[in-house]
Amino acid sequence: MWNIIKIASAFIGIIVGAGFASGQEVLQYFTSFGYMGTVAAVVATALFAYLGMMLTWLGSRTGTRSHKSVIYQISGRQIGRIVDGIIFFTLFGVGVVMIAGAGSTLNQQFGLPAYIGSIVMTLMMGATLMLDVRRVVGLIGSITPFLVLALALICAYSLSTMERSFAELAPIAEGIDSTLPHWLVSAVNYVSFNIAVGAAMALVIGGAEPNANIARWGGLLGGVGVGVLIMISHLAMFSQVDQVAGYALPLLKIIDGISPLLAKAMAFVLFGMIFSTGASMFYAFVARFTRMQTSAANRFSIVTLLVAFIASFAGFTQLVALFYPLIGYLGLFLVLALIYAPFRLKRSSAIQTLHPITDN
């Protein structure tokens, strides 16, 4: 049971990064649709549960240390090239967003220049890339319980102190700018984006667990957990949307209303969640091209993080608004491949007949 919880926590830690933990993602993808944003959260939960289960199960059954071979096995050679390209483009891009998010967090809460938080985050990620994958999984998963507790507190406070009804708040929520045209498109796009973000590391996490059944249940529980957190975050911001809509980190603004001291504590939790997602992105990115814990991997990591740090100066809110929906549409290739995977594997005499996994 403990291994299931550890895998679930690590999966949540991969998905829940700067955009989610700050509230910016949920605000744009769900709250901006008012009442229908709640329905969108239910749809997203079901999709996350299934796709999380498939990813960790596939990783365990193949014992993979990199996503590349599994993606080619479930997608075929031609689609596999497209999906692989989308994944490593996404890994790097989201890693950049995490570095930018770290700068925004310390800037909003402590008034520090944004580059300070970005530098600290980059150095933390660099140190993590040199660890064994099992230690990385444990490190990522250990931060998740703090976010769950913080979000539960925020939601309870928001609902108990809301000054207007949801009927009054709905027009305000629906007035928030969103690049998504419809609540259902938004829900699918959000899941697609996050699966593109989390697929590589989820496969690696599954690959570190020899028991495929444990891996499968861990992915399922992790997917449901992500959905529950989406719903909690959405309700918290929907109930206070008139107060937080204009902030880059709306959840941090809500908790600041509870207590400035708690807001400072939340800033550190948020920083930790940014780290968990960013570290997993760059770990999977580097593992795609080199064998980890080698001098070549260390050199590649340094160059990757340096380029990412420079790119992060594009700005956190701008990156979330423009980059995330694009990856969501591209990630549909991967979502469809995962939905089709059980049928493809069954047709090819089950996954035991897959070719040996290689790292590159």
PDB file of all heavy atoms in Angstrom, residues 47-69:
ATOM      1  N   LEU A  47     -10.455  11.339 -16.952  1.00  0.00           N
ATOM      2  CA  LEU A  47      -9.383  11.151 -17.924  1.00  0.00           C
ATOM      3  C   LEU A  47      -8.029  10.975 -17.241  1.00  0.00           C
ATOM      4  O   LEU A  47      -7.224  10.113 -17.628  1.00  0.00           O
ATOM      5  CB  LEU A  47      -9.338  12.346 -18.882  1.00  0.00           C
ATOM      6  CG  LEU A  47     -10.506  12.457 -19.863  1.00  0.00           C
ATOM      7  CD1 LEU A  47     -10.449  13.783 -20.619  1.00  0.00           C
ATOM      8  CD2 LEU A  47     -10.493  11.294 -20.850  1.00  0.00           C
ATOM      9  N   PHE A  48      -7.758  11.782 -16.220  1.00  0.00           N
ATOM     10  CA  PHE A  48      -6.494  11.660 -15.489  1.00  0.00           C
ATOM     11  C   PHE A  48      -6.364  10.275 -14.850  1.00  0.00           C
ATOM     12  O   PHE A  48      -5.279   9.689 -14.839  1.00  0.00           O
ATOM     13  CB  PHE A  48      -6.392  12.737 -14.408  1.00  0.00           C
ATOM     14  CG  PHE A  48      -5.779  14.015 -14.870  1.00  0.00           C
ATOM     15  CD1 PHE A  48      -6.463  15.219 -14.710  1.00  0.00           C
ATOM     16  CD2 PHE A  48      -4.523  14.043 -15.452  1.00  0.00           C
ATOM     17  CE1 PHE A  48      -5.896  16.418 -15.132  1.00  0.00           C
ATOM     18  CE2 PHE A  48      -3.945  15.233 -15.886  1.00  0.00           C
ATOM     19  CZ  PHE A  48      -4.646  16.423 -15.720  1.00  0.00           C
ATOM     20  N   ALA A  49      -7.456   9.757 -14.287  1.00  0.00           N
ATOM     21  CA  ALA A  49      -7.413   8.453 -13.619  1.00  0.00           C
ATOM     22  C   ALA A  49      -7.016   7.352 -14.596  1.00  0.00           C
ATOM     23  O   ALA A  49      -6.134   6.532 -14.312  1.00  0.00           O
ATOM     24  CB  ALA A  49      -8.769   8.153 -12.986  1.00  0.00           C
ATOM     25  N   TYR A  50      -7.657   7.338 -15.759  1.00  0.00           N
ATOM     26  CA  TYR A  50      -7.359   6.288 -16.740  1.00  0.00           C
ATOM     27  C   TYR A  50      -5.947   6.427 -17.306  1.00  0.00           C
ATOM     28  O   TYR A  50      -5.183   5.453 -17.371  1.00  0.00           O
ATOM     29  CB  TYR A  50      -8.375   6.327 -17.878  1.00  0.00           C
ATOM     30  CG  TYR A  50      -8.046   5.337 -18.982  1.00  0.00           C
ATOM     31  CD1 TYR A  50      -8.309   3.978 -18.811  1.00  0.00           C
ATOM     32  CD2 TYR A  50      -7.439   5.759 -20.158  1.00  0.00           C
ATOM     33  CE1 TYR A  50      -7.980   3.058 -19.806  1.00  0.00           C
ATOM     34  CE2 TYR A  50      -7.104   4.848 -21.161  1.00  0.00           C
ATOM     35  CZ  TYR A  50      -7.373   3.506 -20.978  1.00  0.00           C
ATOM     36  OH  TYR A  50      -7.035   2.609 -21.959  1.00  0.00           O
ATOM     37  N   LEU A  51      -5.584   7.632 -17.711  1.00  0.00           N
ATOM     38  CA  LEU A  51      -4.299   7.833 -18.361  1.00  0.00           C
ATOM     39  C   LEU A  51      -3.139   7.678 -17.381  1.00  0.00           C
ATOM     40  O   LEU A  51      -2.078   7.154 -17.742  1.00  0.00           O
ATOM     41  CB  LEU A  51      -4.265   9.210 -19.026  1.00  0.00           C
ATOM     42  CG  LEU A  51      -5.279   9.380 -20.170  1.00  0.00           C
ATOM     43  CD1 LEU A  51      -5.323  10.824 -20.640  1.00  0.00           C
ATOM     44  CD2 LEU A  51      -4.947   8.454 -21.346  1.00  0.00           C
ATOM     45  N   GLY A  52      -3.325   8.108 -16.134  1.00  0.00           N
ATOM     46  CA  GLY A  52      -2.295   7.893 -15.118  1.00  0.00           C
ATOM     47  C   GLY A  52      -2.053   6.415 -14.893  1.00  0.00           C
ATOM     48  O   GLY A  52      -0.905   5.958 -14.779  1.00  0.00           O
ATOM     49  N   MET A  53      -3.138   5.638 -14.819  1.00  0.00           N
ATOM     50  CA  MET A  53      -3.038   4.189 -14.650  1.00  0.00           C
ATOM     51  C   MET A  53      -2.280   3.550 -15.817  1.00  0.00           C
ATOM     52  O   MET A  53      -1.395   2.709 -15.617  1.00  0.00           O
ATOM     53  CB  MET A  53      -4.440   3.588 -14.548  1.00  0.00           C
ATOM     54  CG  MET A  53      -4.468   2.082 -14.454  1.00  0.00           C
ATOM     55  SD  MET A  53      -6.168   1.434 -14.403  1.00  0.00           S
ATOM     56  CE  MET A  53      -6.736   1.861 -16.064  1.00  0.00           C
ATOM     57  N   MET A  54      -2.593   3.957 -17.045  1.00  0.00           N
ATOM     58  CA  MET A  54      -1.946   3.376 -18.216  1.00  0.00           C
ATOM     59  C   MET A  54      -0.452   3.684 -18.244  1.00  0.00           C
ATOM     60  O   MET A  54       0.370   2.807 -18.557  1.00  0.00           O
ATOM     61  CB  MET A  54      -2.605   3.910 -19.495  1.00  0.00           C
ATOM     62  CG  MET A  54      -3.938   3.279 -19.819  1.00  0.00           C
ATOM     63  SD  MET A  54      -3.837   1.482 -20.004  1.00  0.00           S
ATOM     64  CE  MET A  54      -2.568   1.331 -21.262  1.00  0.00           C
ATOM     65  N   LEU A  55      -0.076   4.893 -17.915  1.00  0.00           N
ATOM     66  CA  LEU A  55       1.329   5.290 -17.985  1.00  0.00           C
ATOM     67  C   LEU A  55       2.193   4.506 -16.996  1.00  0.00           C
ATOM     68  O   LEU A  55       3.242   3.966 -17.367  1.00  0.00           O
ATOM     69  CB  LEU A  55       1.456   6.794 -17.732  1.00  0.00           C
ATOM     70  CG  LEU A  55       1.044   7.707 -18.887  1.00  0.00           C
ATOM     71  CD1 LEU A  55       0.907   9.143 -18.414  1.00  0.00           C
ATOM     72  CD2 LEU A  55       2.057   7.618 -20.026  1.00  0.00           C
ATOM     73  N   THR A  56       1.772   4.456 -15.738  1.00  0.00           N
ATOM     74  CA  THR A  56       2.589   3.764 -14.744  1.00  0.00           C
ATOM     75  C   THR A  56       2.605   2.260 -14.994  1.00  0.00           C
ATOM     76  O   THR A  56       3.622   1.588 -14.760  1.00  0.00           O
ATOM     77  CB  THR A  56       2.099   4.066 -13.316  1.00  0.00           C
ATOM     78  OG1 THR A  56       0.682   3.824 -13.234  1.00  0.00           O
ATOM     79  CG2 THR A  56       2.378   5.519 -12.950  1.00  0.00           C
ATOM     80  N   TRP A  57       1.499   1.705 -15.469  1.00  0.00           N
ATOM     81  CA  TRP A  57       1.441   0.280 -15.783  1.00  0.00           C
ATOM     82  C   TRP A  57       2.389  -0.063 -16.930  1.00  0.00           C
ATOM     83  O   TRP A  57       3.157  -1.031 -16.860  1.00  0.00           O
ATOM     84  CB  TRP A  57       0.007  -0.102 -16.149  1.00  0.00           C
ATOM     85  CG  TRP A  57      -0.151  -1.543 -16.542  1.00  0.00           C
ATOM     86  CD1 TRP A  57      -0.104  -2.634 -15.734  1.00  0.00           C
ATOM     87  CD2 TRP A  57      -0.394  -2.030 -17.869  1.00  0.00           C
ATOM     88  NE1 TRP A  57      -0.306  -3.780 -16.469  1.00  0.00           N
ATOM     89  CE2 TRP A  57      -0.482  -3.434 -17.780  1.00  0.00           C
ATOM     90  CE3 TRP A  57      -0.546  -1.410 -19.108  1.00  0.00           C
ATOM     91  CZ2 TRP A  57      -0.713  -4.236 -18.901  1.00  0.00           C
ATOM     92  CZ3 TRP A  57      -0.789  -2.198 -20.223  1.00  0.00           C
ATOM     93  CH2 TRP A  57      -0.869  -3.595 -20.104  1.00  0.00           C
ATOM     94  N   LEU A  58       2.358   0.742 -17.983  1.00  0.00           N
ATOM     95  CA  LEU A  58       3.254   0.518 -19.110  1.00  0.00           C
ATOM     96  C   LEU A  58       4.714   0.627 -18.688  1.00  0.00           C
ATOM     97  O   LEU A  58       5.568  -0.162 -19.100  1.00  0.00           O
ATOM     98  CB  LEU A  58       2.960   1.520 -20.231  1.00  0.00           C
ATOM     99  CG  LEU A  58       1.701   1.277 -21.064  1.00  0.00           C
ATOM    100  CD1 LEU A  58       1.375   2.500 -21.909  1.00  0.00           C
ATOM    101  CD2 LEU A  58       1.878   0.044 -21.948  1.00  0.00           C
ATOM    102  N   GLY A  59       5.008   1.619 -17.857  1.00  0.00           N
ATOM    103  CA  GLY A  59       6.379   1.791 -17.384  1.00  0.00           C
ATOM    104  C   GLY A  59       6.860   0.588 -16.603  1.00  0.00           C
ATOM    105  O   GLY A  59       7.985   0.109 -16.786  1.00  0.00           O
ATOM    106  N   SER A  60       6.007   0.072 -15.717  1.00  0.00           N
ATOM    107  CA  SER A  60       6.384  -1.078 -14.897  1.00  0.00           C
ATOM    108  C   SER A  60       6.570  -2.333 -15.735  1.00  0.00           C
ATOM    109  O   SER A  60       7.538  -3.084 -15.559  1.00  0.00           O
ATOM    110  CB  SER A  60       5.322  -1.320 -13.823  1.00  0.00           C
ATOM    111  OG  SER A  60       5.641  -2.456 -13.046  1.00  0.00           O
ATOM    112  N   ARG A  61       5.650  -2.603 -16.643  1.00  0.00           N
ATOM    113  CA  ARG A  61       5.717  -3.831 -17.429  1.00  0.00           C
ATOM    114  C   ARG A  61       6.919  -3.860 -18.372  1.00  0.00           C
ATOM    115  O   ARG A  61       7.390  -4.932 -18.753  1.00  0.00           O
ATOM    116  CB  ARG A  61       4.423  -4.016 -18.234  1.00  0.00           C
ATOM    117  CG  ARG A  61       3.202  -4.294 -17.374  1.00  0.00           C
ATOM    118  CD  ARG A  61       3.340  -5.578 -16.563  1.00  0.00           C
ATOM    119  NE  ARG A  61       3.449  -6.754 -17.403  1.00  0.00           N
ATOM    120  CZ  ARG A  61       2.417  -7.485 -17.805  1.00  0.00           C
ATOM    121  NH1 ARG A  61       1.183  -7.159 -17.446  1.00  0.00           N
ATOM    122  NH2 ARG A  61       2.608  -8.549 -18.569  1.00  0.00           N
ATOM    123  N   THR A  62       7.417  -2.693 -18.761  1.00  0.00           N
ATOM    124  CA  THR A  62       8.582  -2.642 -19.642  1.00  0.00           C
ATOM    125  C   THR A  62       9.882  -2.393 -18.885  1.00  0.00           C
ATOM    126  O   THR A  62      10.963  -2.574 -19.436  1.00  0.00           O
ATOM    127  CB  THR A  62       8.414  -1.532 -20.697  1.00  0.00           C
ATOM    128  OG1 THR A  62       8.223  -0.282 -20.039  1.00  0.00           O
ATOM    129  CG2 THR A  62       7.227  -1.807 -21.608  1.00  0.00           C
ATOM    130  N   GLY A  63       9.782  -1.948 -17.635  1.00  0.00           N
ATOM    131  CA  GLY A  63      10.978  -1.639 -16.856  1.00  0.00           C
ATOM    132  C   GLY A  63      11.794  -0.525 -17.462  1.00  0.00           C
ATOM    133  O   GLY A  63      13.020  -0.479 -17.338  1.00  0.00           O
ATOM    134  N   THR A  64      11.130   0.420 -18.106  1.00  0.00           N
ATOM    135  CA  THR A  64      11.832   1.450 -18.859  1.00  0.00           C
ATOM    136  C   THR A  64      12.534   2.473 -17.971  1.00  0.00           C
ATOM    137  O   THR A  64      12.087   2.759 -16.861  1.00  0.00           O
ATOM    138  CB  THR A  64      10.854   2.193 -19.800  1.00  0.00           C
ATOM    139  OG1 THR A  64      11.585   3.073 -20.646  1.00  0.00           O
ATOM    140  CG2 THR A  64       9.823   2.982 -18.992  1.00  0.00           C
ATOM    141  N   ARG A  65      13.622   3.022 -18.468  1.00  0.00           N
ATOM    142  CA  ARG A  65      14.321   4.132 -17.810  1.00  0.00           C
ATOM    143  C   ARG A  65      14.221   5.406 -18.644  1.00  0.00           C
ATOM    144  O   ARG A  65      14.765   6.449 -18.268  1.00  0.00           O
ATOM    145  CB  ARG A  65      15.790   3.772 -17.588  1.00  0.00           C
ATOM    146  CG  ARG A  65      15.990   2.725 -16.495  1.00  0.00           C
ATOM    147  CD  ARG A  65      17.433   2.332 -16.361  1.00  0.00           C
ATOM    148  NE  ARG A  65      17.879   1.575 -17.529  1.00  0.00           N
ATOM    149  CZ  ARG A  65      19.126   1.126 -17.690  1.00  0.00           C
ATOM    150  NH1 ARG A  65      20.035   1.372 -16.771  1.00  0.00           N
ATOM    151  NH2 ARG A  65      19.452   0.443 -18.771  1.00  0.00           N
ATOM    152  N   SER A  66      13.545   5.326 -19.780  1.00  0.00           N
ATOM    153  CA  SER A  66      13.294   6.490 -20.631  1.00  0.00           C
ATOM    154  C   SER A  66      12.003   6.223 -21.397  1.00  0.00           C
ATOM    155  O   SER A  66      11.649   5.069 -21.645  1.00  0.00           O
ATOM    156  CB  SER A  66      14.458   6.705 -21.607  1.00  0.00           C
ATOM    157  OG  SER A  66      14.139   7.707 -22.559  1.00  0.00           O
ATOM    158  N   HIS A  67      11.301   7.279 -21.770  1.00  0.00           N
ATOM    159  CA  HIS A  67       9.992   7.117 -22.402  1.00  0.00           C
ATOM    160  C   HIS A  67      10.070   6.664 -23.850  1.00  0.00           C
ATOM    161  O   HIS A  67       9.089   6.152 -24.394  1.00  0.00           O
ATOM    162  CB  HIS A  67       9.230   8.447 -22.354  1.00  0.00           C
ATOM    163  CG  HIS A  67       9.819   9.503 -23.252  1.00  0.00           C
ATOM    164  ND1 HIS A  67      10.780  10.389 -22.829  1.00  0.00           N
ATOM    165  CD2 HIS A  67       9.579   9.798 -24.560  1.00  0.00           C
ATOM    166  CE1 HIS A  67      11.097  11.199 -23.822  1.00  0.00           C
ATOM    167  NE2 HIS A  67      10.391  10.856 -24.877  1.00  0.00           N
ATOM    168  N   LYS A  68      11.218   6.827 -24.484  1.00  0.00           N
ATOM    169  CA  LYS A  68      11.291   6.730 -25.936  1.00  0.00           C
ATOM    170  C   LYS A  68      10.780   5.401 -26.489  1.00  0.00           C
ATOM    171  O   LYS A  68       9.899   5.368 -27.351  1.00  0.00           O
ATOM    172  CB  LYS A  68      12.732   6.960 -26.399  1.00  0.00           C
ATOM    173  CG  LYS A  68      12.889   6.899 -27.924  1.00  0.00           C
ATOM    174  CD  LYS A  68      14.328   7.117 -28.337  1.00  0.00           C
ATOM    175  CE  LYS A  68      14.466   6.991 -29.853  1.00  0.00           C
ATOM    176  NZ  LYS A  68      15.872   7.153 -30.289  1.00  0.00           N
ATOM    177  N   SER A  69      11.319   4.275 -25.983  1.00  0.00           N
ATOM    178  CA  SER A  69      10.951   2.982 -26.553  1.00  0.00           C
ATOM    179  C   SER A  69       9.485   2.643 -26.327  1.00  0.00           C
ATOM    180  O   SER A  69       8.826   2.077 -27.210  1.00  0.00           O
ATOM    181  CB  SER A  69      11.841   1.885 -25.960  1.00  0.00           C
ATOM    182  OG  SER A  69      13.174   2.051 -26.390  1.00  0.00           O
TER     183      SER A  69
END
